[in-house]
């Protein structure tokens, strides 16, 4: 998120904060006047109601050096610089909420429109108004998930992660090897988190809402209890505090794993392809929603094989078979 925040600051947020929390609003404060001494009378705080309200907000020290160098342009400068923690928290909250809504409605909408078999909506276990219920559940989860995720993003922005910039910082071999490392690390961690969420106590209080969707649509991909969704996202954040990862690679992978989560919830049961025994695709995850205790993996099948929870997708298990008699009637 530090890369996203930097781009947002550069193109939008510097102007937004200069308008919302302008430096000029603090021009008549005792602290500012004391730091400026003779220069203080060059600043004229706006008399608007908004400026008077803003002048009571906390802000970093407004030093003589800063004020003297920018007083002539104070209307286009914010009293909250980019590295001010309250500004970062506010920016990250807004960017995260916008980002997850765009990803969700864009990818889930496309998948629902062009990939999801709408005949599945006639399955006997497909709920009445399920798509609307899935969307409502997702929208309720997003704000809480954002709040829980903020400490990770804030730590990342403050420079505590191992994200890096230069392509050759750790060598080109590691640059390319970090992608499968990220996938295998997060896949195995999510496998165990997901499996633990099926322990009766955790299942009842956290994971059960997601299994309300026996025949999920792509909109069900994020329709879960927010704490459940947060726990399953932790490996994505934890990785960059343990292993170095190029920040552009991390951003791309973060978007793609959200797309994958949507993709595997299309209730598809295509079988017999060459990647079937290695990749935990939509067919595998469809079986998970049907039978609950199989195929916990996120991208691959190896963790389920090692953990004894793998179930091979077969055409005879296709939930669409229960729909066809309904269509014929």
């Amino acid at each position: 998120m530090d890369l996203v925040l930097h781009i947002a600051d550069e193109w939008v947020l510097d102007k937004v904060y200069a308008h919302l929390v302008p430096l000029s609003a603090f021009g008549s404060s005792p602290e500012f006047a004391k730091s400026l001494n003779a220069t203080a009378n060059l600043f004229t705080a706006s008399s608007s109601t908004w400026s008077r309200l803003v002048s009571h907000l906390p802000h970093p020290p407004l030093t003589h050096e800063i004020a003297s160098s920018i007083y002539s342009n104070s209307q286009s400068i914010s009293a909250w610089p980019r590295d001010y923690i309250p500004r970062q928290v506010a920016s990250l909250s807004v960017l995260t909420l916008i980002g997850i809504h765009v990803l969700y409605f864009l990818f889930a909408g496309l998948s629902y429109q062009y990939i999801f078999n709408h005949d599945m909506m006639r399955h006997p276990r497909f709920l009445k108004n399920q798509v609307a219920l899935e969307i409502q559940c997702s929208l309720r989860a997003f704000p809480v998930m954002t709040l829980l995720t903020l400490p990770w993003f804030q730590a990342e922005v403050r420079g505590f992660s191992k994200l890096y910039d230069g392509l050759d910082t750790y060598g080109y071999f590691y640059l390319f090897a970090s992608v499968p490392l990220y996938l295998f690390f997060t896949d195995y961690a999510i496998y165990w988190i997901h499996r633990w969420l099926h322990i009766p106590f955790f299942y009842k209080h956290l994971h059960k809402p997601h299994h309300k969707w026996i025949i999920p649509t792509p909109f069900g991909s994020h329709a879960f209890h927010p704490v459940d969704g947060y726990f399953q996202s932790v490996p994505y954040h934890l990785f960059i505090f343990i292993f170095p990862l190029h920040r552009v690679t991390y951003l791309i992978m973060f978007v793609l794993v959200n797309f994958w989560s949507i993709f595997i919830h299309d209730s598809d049961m295509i079988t017999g392809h060459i990647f079937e025994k290695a990749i935990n695709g939509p067919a595998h995850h469809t079986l998970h929603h049907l039978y609950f205790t199989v195929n916990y993996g996120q991208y691959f099948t190896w963790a389920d094989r090692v953990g004894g929870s793998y179930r091979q997708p077969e055409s005879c298990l296709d939930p669409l078979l229960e729909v066809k008699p309904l269509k014929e009637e």
Side-chain angles (χ1 to χ4, degrees):
M1 282 298 290
D2 61 341
L3 179 60
V4 174
L5 182 59
H6 174 76
I7 294 171
D9 279 335
E10 196 75 22
W11 288 92
V12 179
L13 295 181
D14 283 345
K15 297 181 181 65
V16 170
Y17 282 104
H19 179 73
L20 294 179
V21 194
L23 182 64
S24 60
F26 300 88
S28 61
S29 68
E31 175 192 349
F32 203 20
K34 182 178 179 181
S35 69
L36 284 173
N37 296 323
T39 314
N41 59 6
L42 295 174
F43 283 83
T44 303
S46 170
S47 60
S48 70
T49 302
W50 178 253
S51 292
R52 289 196 297 272
L53 290 173
V54 166
S55 66
H56 297 289
L57 290 175
H59 56 79
L62 303 173
T63 64
H64 175 79
E65 290 77 10
I66 294 174
S68 297
S69 64
I70 62 176
Y71 74 87
S72 62
N73 196 33
S74 62
Q75 293 292 341
S76 61
I77 299 294
S78 175
W80 284 12
R82 291 183 182 183
D83 61 351
Y84 188 46
I85 291 178
R87 168 173 167 168
Q88 290 177 335
V89 170
S91 299
L92 288 170
S93 299
V94 172
L95 290 173
T96 302
L97 282 171
I98 292 174
I100 189 60
H101 281 82
V102 170
L103 284 174
Y104 176 69
F105 283 107
L106 176 62
F107 290 147
L110 289 172
S111 181
Y112 177 77
Q113 184 67 34
Y114 298 108
I115 300 177
F116 175 68
N117 187 338
H118 288 69
D119 285 340
M120 295 301 300
M121 299 173 72
R122 300 185 60 181
H123 191 280
R125 303 183 77 179
F126 194 87
L127 303 180
K128 183 180 179 181
N129 299 322
Q130 181 174 310
V131 174
L133 293 173
E134 289 172 333
I135 294 174
Q136 291 169 13
C137 183
S138 300
L139 295 182
R140 287 195 300 269
F142 289 157
V144 180
M145 287 179 59
T146 296
L147 182 64
L148 294 172
T149 305
L150 273 178
W152 293 101
F153 286 154
Q154 184 65 22
E156 177 190 329
V157 167
R158 301 301 290 185
F160 295 107
S161 74
K162 294 181 179 292
L163 291 174
Y164 65 90
D165 291 302
L167 294 177
D168 59 348
T169 302
Y170 290 90
Y172 286 96
F173 175 80
Y174 182 80
L175 177 67
F176 290 101
S178 63
V179 173
L181 177 61
Y182 176 86
L183 291 176
F184 278 98
F185 175 88
T186 54
D187 182 67
Y188 194 60
I190 291 171
Y191 170 82
W192 282 109
I193 291 172
H194 192 180
R195 188 159 182 170
W196 291 335
L197 284 167
H198 278 260
I199 294 173
F201 176 81
F202 298 116
Y203 181 83
K204 177 182 178 181
H205 295 284
L206 296 177
H207 197 51
K208 188 176 181 179
H210 185 62
H211 276 278
K212 180 179 181 180
W213 329 114
I214 305 298
I215 305 295
T217 77
F219 289 110
S221 58
H222 291 71
F224 34 45
H225 190 289
V227 177
D228 174 5
Y230 167 72
F231 280 152
Q232 294 196 61
S233 75
V234 165
Y236 302 136
H237 308 295
L238 181 63
F239 181 89
I240 61 172
F241 291 89
I242 300 176
F243 302 101
L245 187 64
H246 193 279
R247 64 184 71 254
V248 175
T249 303
Y250 178 57
L251 180 59
I252 293 172
M253 296 302 296
F254 196 78
V255 172
L256 290 179
V257 296
N258 273 278
F259 168 75
W260 184 260
S261 295
I262 292 170
F263 176 67
I264 63 175
H265 283 86
D266 67 3
S267 298
D268 191 6
M269 189 58 79
I270 296 177
T271 60
H273 57 83
I274 59 175
F275 302 110
E276 185 175 77
K277 294 186 177 181
I279 303 297
N280 186 81
H284 299 78
H285 201 70
T286 295
L287 293 183
H288 176 73
H289 274 263
L290 287 170
Y291 301 105
F292 292 75
T293 58
V294 300
N295 300 345
Y296 297 103
Q298 185 75 351
Y299 327 112
F300 308 113
T301 62
W302 68 281
D304 280 294
R305 294 179 184 278
V306 172
S309 54
Y310 178 72
R311 181 160 186 176
Q312 177 69 29
E314 299 175 9
S315 58
C316 64
L317 301 175
D318 191 344
L320 194 59
L321 295 174
E322 298 183 58
V323 175
K324 289 181 179 178
L326 293 176
K327 292 181 64 177
E328 293 170 358
E329 291 177 357

